[in-house]
Amino acid sequence: MGISGSRKCCSCTAAGTEPDDLGDDLPRSVFDDPLIVQQAIMDSKHARQAKSLATKVETMASEQVASAWALLEKEFNVQKQIWDSMQFRKGKSHEGEVASLSSKIEFAFMSHLKDRGNAIASLEATLERTAKSDLLSDTMMKAAANVMKAEEQLEPRRTLSEALRARDAVSPAELDALVKALDGLDDPKLEAAVREAIPVWNVL
């Protein structure tokens, strides 16, 4: 004897709801919401832009340091020629002072890739020692100062690069501190792009 009527699964309601009807009560996928999709696309775009800016900041920082050291080396070679031309007029005392200075500067060149701290300390000691003398030319002293400035800005620029990659929200004051790492690059467009890329808390 056959069984009359249609079968209902155990999940059907008392009113006889078919299984296919259950989907109406489930939440829609976020991918069905155009606003959420649009926001996700914008977030992805901003993340790519921030990553690109981070790479640019890192590259510019490294290039500025390398350029500063290269210029210092060039000026040092000129300075040695000046010292050589002066040694006959100033005697043994001058020769000893020059040898000491030359040793400190050469140490800075040899150590700056492995021990930036000691390299900068050596340059600082050299500038302090010659501040009131004519042992170093003005261009040599300026080149040494530029090296120290570029080296000092290297770490803040790395911090800025990390902030761009993370894109964590910061306070307005924190953003100003991060952007200060760009001082000396003279690139207003880069600064504006960085400010736009890092989220800022809403301050009431």
PDB file of all heavy atoms in Angstrom, residues 180-202:
ATOM      1  N   LYS A 180      56.998  64.884  10.427  1.00  0.00           N
ATOM      2  CA  LYS A 180      58.214  65.680  10.631  1.00  0.00           C
ATOM      3  C   LYS A 180      59.450  64.964  10.093  1.00  0.00           C
ATOM      4  O   LYS A 180      60.459  65.592   9.769  1.00  0.00           O
ATOM      5  CB  LYS A 180      58.387  65.996  12.118  1.00  0.00           C
ATOM      6  CG  LYS A 180      59.453  67.043  12.403  1.00  0.00           C
ATOM      7  CD  LYS A 180      59.424  67.483  13.850  1.00  0.00           C
ATOM      8  CE  LYS A 180      60.508  68.519  14.121  1.00  0.00           C
ATOM      9  NZ  LYS A 180      60.333  69.718  13.279  1.00  0.00           N
ATOM     10  N   ALA A 181      59.357  63.642   9.973  1.00  0.00           N
ATOM     11  CA  ALA A 181      60.471  62.867   9.424  1.00  0.00           C
ATOM     12  C   ALA A 181      60.775  63.238   7.977  1.00  0.00           C
ATOM     13  O   ALA A 181      61.853  62.938   7.466  1.00  0.00           O
ATOM     14  CB  ALA A 181      60.168  61.372   9.521  1.00  0.00           C
ATOM     15  N   LEU A 182      59.818  63.893   7.316  1.00  0.00           N
ATOM     16  CA  LEU A 182      60.015  64.280   5.918  1.00  0.00           C
ATOM     17  C   LEU A 182      60.748  65.607   5.779  1.00  0.00           C
ATOM     18  O   LEU A 182      61.029  66.038   4.661  1.00  0.00           O
ATOM     19  CB  LEU A 182      58.660  64.371   5.206  1.00  0.00           C
ATOM     20  CG  LEU A 182      57.840  63.078   5.151  1.00  0.00           C
ATOM     21  CD1 LEU A 182      56.491  63.339   4.497  1.00  0.00           C
ATOM     22  CD2 LEU A 182      58.592  61.988   4.402  1.00  0.00           C
ATOM     23  N   ASP A 183      61.052  66.260   6.896  1.00  0.00           N
ATOM     24  CA  ASP A 183      61.776  67.534   6.841  1.00  0.00           C
ATOM     25  C   ASP A 183      63.084  67.352   6.072  1.00  0.00           C
ATOM     26  O   ASP A 183      63.821  66.391   6.288  1.00  0.00           O
ATOM     27  CB  ASP A 183      62.092  68.038   8.254  1.00  0.00           C
ATOM     28  CG  ASP A 183      60.851  68.562   8.962  1.00  0.00           C
ATOM     29  OD1 ASP A 183      59.785  68.598   8.329  1.00  0.00           O
ATOM     30  OD2 ASP A 183      60.955  68.917  10.153  1.00  0.00           O
ATOM     31  N   GLY A 184      63.341  68.281   5.197  1.00  0.00           N
ATOM     32  CA  GLY A 184      64.577  68.226   4.430  1.00  0.00           C
ATOM     33  C   GLY A 184      64.414  67.624   3.049  1.00  0.00           C
ATOM     34  O   GLY A 184      65.302  67.761   2.199  1.00  0.00           O
ATOM     35  N   LEU A 185      63.288  66.957   2.805  1.00  0.00           N
ATOM     36  CA  LEU A 185      63.067  66.367   1.480  1.00  0.00           C
ATOM     37  C   LEU A 185      62.462  67.375   0.504  1.00  0.00           C
ATOM     38  O   LEU A 185      62.509  67.175  -0.709  1.00  0.00           O
ATOM     39  CB  LEU A 185      62.151  65.142   1.588  1.00  0.00           C
ATOM     40  CG  LEU A 185      62.728  63.942   2.344  1.00  0.00           C
ATOM     41  CD1 LEU A 185      61.719  62.799   2.367  1.00  0.00           C
ATOM     42  CD2 LEU A 185      64.033  63.472   1.708  1.00  0.00           C
ATOM     43  N   ASP A 186      61.874  68.441   1.045  1.00  0.00           N
ATOM     44  CA  ASP A 186      61.296  69.504   0.206  1.00  0.00           C
ATOM     45  C   ASP A 186      60.335  68.943  -0.835  1.00  0.00           C
ATOM     46  O   ASP A 186      60.450  69.210  -2.036  1.00  0.00           O
ATOM     47  CB  ASP A 186      62.412  70.305  -0.488  1.00  0.00           C
ATOM     48  CG  ASP A 186      63.325  71.002   0.508  1.00  0.00           C
ATOM     49  OD1 ASP A 186      62.815  71.459   1.543  1.00  0.00           O
ATOM     50  OD2 ASP A 186      64.542  71.067   0.251  1.00  0.00           O
ATOM     51  N   ASP A 187      59.373  68.147  -0.353  1.00  0.00           N
ATOM     52  CA  ASP A 187      58.402  67.524  -1.255  1.00  0.00           C
ATOM     53  C   ASP A 187      56.998  67.680  -0.663  1.00  0.00           C
ATOM     54  O   ASP A 187      56.485  66.771  -0.003  1.00  0.00           O
ATOM     55  CB  ASP A 187      58.744  66.046  -1.448  1.00  0.00           C
ATOM     56  CG  ASP A 187      57.983  65.418  -2.607  1.00  0.00           C
ATOM     57  OD1 ASP A 187      56.906  65.930  -2.949  1.00  0.00           O
ATOM     58  OD2 ASP A 187      58.473  64.418  -3.166  1.00  0.00           O
ATOM     59  N   PRO A 188      56.353  68.839  -0.888  1.00  0.00           N
ATOM     60  CA  PRO A 188      55.019  69.086  -0.313  1.00  0.00           C
ATOM     61  C   PRO A 188      53.979  68.058  -0.755  1.00  0.00           C
ATOM     62  O   PRO A 188      53.088  67.701   0.020  1.00  0.00           O
ATOM     63  CB  PRO A 188      54.663  70.486  -0.838  1.00  0.00           C
ATOM     64  CG  PRO A 188      55.969  71.114  -1.200  1.00  0.00           C
ATOM     65  CD  PRO A 188      56.852  69.994  -1.657  1.00  0.00           C
ATOM     66  N   LYS A 189      54.076  67.583  -1.991  1.00  0.00           N
ATOM     67  CA  LYS A 189      53.108  66.599  -2.481  1.00  0.00           C
ATOM     68  C   LYS A 189      53.239  65.283  -1.717  1.00  0.00           C
ATOM     69  O   LYS A 189      52.235  64.633  -1.404  1.00  0.00           O
ATOM     70  CB  LYS A 189      53.309  66.365  -3.979  1.00  0.00           C
ATOM     71  CG  LYS A 189      52.898  67.547  -4.849  1.00  0.00           C
ATOM     72  CD  LYS A 189      53.036  67.206  -6.327  1.00  0.00           C
ATOM     73  CE  LYS A 189      52.586  68.372  -7.197  1.00  0.00           C
ATOM     74  NZ  LYS A 189      52.720  68.063  -8.651  1.00  0.00           N
ATOM     75  N   LEU A 190      54.467  64.898  -1.411  1.00  0.00           N
ATOM     76  CA  LEU A 190      54.679  63.670  -0.642  1.00  0.00           C
ATOM     77  C   LEU A 190      54.098  63.818   0.758  1.00  0.00           C
ATOM     78  O   LEU A 190      53.430  62.911   1.264  1.00  0.00           O
ATOM     79  CB  LEU A 190      56.173  63.351  -0.560  1.00  0.00           C
ATOM     80  CG  LEU A 190      56.555  62.151   0.316  1.00  0.00           C
ATOM     81  CD1 LEU A 190      55.903  60.874  -0.202  1.00  0.00           C
ATOM     82  CD2 LEU A 190      58.073  61.997   0.369  1.00  0.00           C
ATOM     83  N   GLU A 191      54.333  64.960   1.375  1.00  0.00           N
ATOM     84  CA  GLU A 191      53.796  65.186   2.721  1.00  0.00           C
ATOM     85  C   GLU A 191      52.271  65.131   2.714  1.00  0.00           C
ATOM     86  O   GLU A 191      51.653  64.517   3.598  1.00  0.00           O
ATOM     87  CB  GLU A 191      54.259  66.538   3.266  1.00  0.00           C
ATOM     88  CG  GLU A 191      53.705  66.827   4.660  1.00  0.00           C
ATOM     89  CD  GLU A 191      54.216  68.122   5.256  1.00  0.00           C
ATOM     90  OE1 GLU A 191      55.289  68.593   4.822  1.00  0.00           O
ATOM     91  OE2 GLU A 191      53.539  68.661   6.153  1.00  0.00           O
ATOM     92  N   ALA A 192      51.651  65.758   1.721  1.00  0.00           N
ATOM     93  CA  ALA A 192      50.191  65.750   1.630  1.00  0.00           C
ATOM     94  C   ALA A 192      49.667  64.328   1.443  1.00  0.00           C
ATOM     95  O   ALA A 192      48.662  63.933   2.050  1.00  0.00           O
ATOM     96  CB  ALA A 192      49.739  66.643   0.480  1.00  0.00           C
ATOM     97  N   ALA A 193      50.344  63.545   0.612  1.00  0.00           N
ATOM     98  CA  ALA A 193      49.922  62.164   0.365  1.00  0.00           C
ATOM     99  C   ALA A 193      50.058  61.313   1.621  1.00  0.00           C
ATOM    100  O   ALA A 193      49.202  60.471   1.916  1.00  0.00           O
ATOM    101  CB  ALA A 193      50.747  61.566  -0.771  1.00  0.00           C
ATOM    102  N   VAL A 194      51.128  61.541   2.371  1.00  0.00           N
ATOM    103  CA  VAL A 194      51.340  60.791   3.616  1.00  0.00           C
ATOM    104  C   VAL A 194      50.254  61.127   4.627  1.00  0.00           C
ATOM    105  O   VAL A 194      49.702  60.244   5.292  1.00  0.00           O
ATOM    106  CB  VAL A 194      52.736  61.095   4.196  1.00  0.00           C
ATOM    107  CG1 VAL A 194      52.846  60.599   5.636  1.00  0.00           C
ATOM    108  CG2 VAL A 194      53.819  60.441   3.338  1.00  0.00           C
ATOM    109  N   ARG A 195      49.933  62.401   4.742  1.00  0.00           N
ATOM    110  CA  ARG A 195      48.887  62.813   5.687  1.00  0.00           C
ATOM    111  C   ARG A 195      47.539  62.195   5.323  1.00  0.00           C
ATOM    112  O   ARG A 195      46.737  61.851   6.192  1.00  0.00           O
ATOM    113  CB  ARG A 195      48.780  64.341   5.719  1.00  0.00           C
ATOM    114  CG  ARG A 195      49.930  65.025   6.451  1.00  0.00           C
ATOM    115  CD  ARG A 195      49.706  66.520   6.574  1.00  0.00           C
ATOM    116  NE  ARG A 195      50.751  67.164   7.345  1.00  0.00           N
ATOM    117  CZ  ARG A 195      50.789  67.214   8.672  1.00  0.00           C
ATOM    118  NH1 ARG A 195      49.798  66.658   9.370  1.00  0.00           N
ATOM    119  NH2 ARG A 195      51.770  67.809   9.304  1.00  0.00           N
ATOM    120  N   GLU A 196      47.299  62.061   4.043  1.00  0.00           N
ATOM    121  CA  GLU A 196      46.031  61.480   3.597  1.00  0.00           C
ATOM    122  C   GLU A 196      46.006  59.964   3.795  1.00  0.00           C
ATOM    123  O   GLU A 196      44.944  59.376   4.023  1.00  0.00           O
ATOM    124  CB  GLU A 196      45.806  61.809   2.118  1.00  0.00           C
ATOM    125  CG  GLU A 196      44.462  61.347   1.586  1.00  0.00           C
ATOM    126  CD  GLU A 196      44.235  61.750   0.143  1.00  0.00           C
ATOM    127  OE1 GLU A 196      45.057  62.517  -0.395  1.00  0.00           O
ATOM    128  OE2 GLU A 196      43.234  61.298  -0.445  1.00  0.00           O
ATOM    129  N   ALA A 197      47.170  59.336   3.737  1.00  0.00           N
ATOM    130  CA  ALA A 197      47.232  57.870   3.783  1.00  0.00           C
ATOM    131  C   ALA A 197      47.094  57.299   5.191  1.00  0.00           C
ATOM    132  O   ALA A 197      46.654  56.161   5.357  1.00  0.00           O
ATOM    133  CB  ALA A 197      48.544  57.390   3.164  1.00  0.00           C
ATOM    134  N   ILE A 198      47.489  58.075   6.214  1.00  0.00           N
ATOM    135  CA  ILE A 198      47.446  57.569   7.590  1.00  0.00           C
ATOM    136  C   ILE A 198      46.151  58.028   8.258  1.00  0.00           C
ATOM    137  O   ILE A 198      45.901  59.231   8.361  1.00  0.00           O
ATOM    138  CB  ILE A 198      48.662  58.058   8.395  1.00  0.00           C
ATOM    139  CG1 ILE A 198      49.956  57.552   7.744  1.00  0.00           C
ATOM    140  CG2 ILE A 198      48.581  57.583   9.841  1.00  0.00           C
ATOM    141  CD1 ILE A 198      51.221  58.033   8.434  1.00  0.00           C
ATOM    142  N   PRO A 199      45.319  57.088   8.721  1.00  0.00           N
ATOM    143  CA  PRO A 199      44.052  57.470   9.365  1.00  0.00           C
ATOM    144  C   PRO A 199      44.296  58.258  10.652  1.00  0.00           C
ATOM    145  O   PRO A 199      45.260  58.012  11.371  1.00  0.00           O
ATOM    146  CB  PRO A 199      43.394  56.113   9.678  1.00  0.00           C
ATOM    147  CG  PRO A 199      44.103  55.118   8.818  1.00  0.00           C
ATOM    148  CD  PRO A 199      45.495  55.628   8.647  1.00  0.00           C
ATOM    149  N   VAL A 200      43.405  59.194  10.915  1.00  0.00           N
ATOM    150  CA  VAL A 200      43.515  60.032  12.112  1.00  0.00           C
ATOM    151  C   VAL A 200      42.246  59.878  12.941  1.00  0.00           C
ATOM    152  O   VAL A 200      41.140  59.824  12.399  1.00  0.00           O
ATOM    153  CB  VAL A 200      43.717  61.519  11.733  1.00  0.00           C
ATOM    154  CG1 VAL A 200      43.794  62.389  12.986  1.00  0.00           C
ATOM    155  CG2 VAL A 200      44.974  61.682  10.895  1.00  0.00           C
ATOM    156  N   TRP A 201      42.426  59.807  14.257  1.00  0.00           N
ATOM    157  CA  TRP A 201      41.263  59.727  15.141  1.00  0.00           C
ATOM    158  C   TRP A 201      40.400  60.962  14.987  1.00  0.00           C
ATOM    159  O   TRP A 201      40.893  62.065  14.751  1.00  0.00           O
ATOM    160  CB  TRP A 201      41.699  59.669  16.608  1.00  0.00           C
ATOM    161  CG  TRP A 201      42.494  58.471  16.976  1.00  0.00           C
ATOM    162  CD1 TRP A 201      42.497  57.249  16.373  1.00  0.00           C
ATOM    163  CD2 TRP A 201      43.434  58.382  18.049  1.00  0.00           C
ATOM    164  NE1 TRP A 201      43.367  56.406  17.001  1.00  0.00           N
ATOM    165  CE2 TRP A 201      43.958  57.070  18.037  1.00  0.00           C
ATOM    166  CE3 TRP A 201      43.869  59.275  19.027  1.00  0.00           C
ATOM    167  CZ2 TRP A 201      44.899  56.636  18.956  1.00  0.00           C
ATOM    168  CZ3 TRP A 201      44.800  58.848  19.946  1.00  0.00           C
ATOM    169  CH2 TRP A 201      45.310  57.542  19.911  1.00  0.00           C
ATOM    170  N   ASN A 202      39.108  60.770  15.159  1.00  0.00           N
ATOM    171  CA  ASN A 202      38.204  61.911  15.213  1.00  0.00           C
ATOM    172  C   ASN A 202      38.287  62.534  16.598  1.00  0.00           C
ATOM    173  O   ASN A 202      37.970  61.891  17.600  1.00  0.00           O
ATOM    174  CB  ASN A 202      36.758  61.479  14.933  1.00  0.00           C
ATOM    175  CG  ASN A 202      36.568  61.067  13.490  1.00  0.00           C
ATOM    176  OD1 ASN A 202      37.167  61.647  12.598  1.00  0.00           O
ATOM    177  ND2 ASN A 202      35.730  60.065  13.265  1.00  0.00           N
TER     178      ASN A 202
END
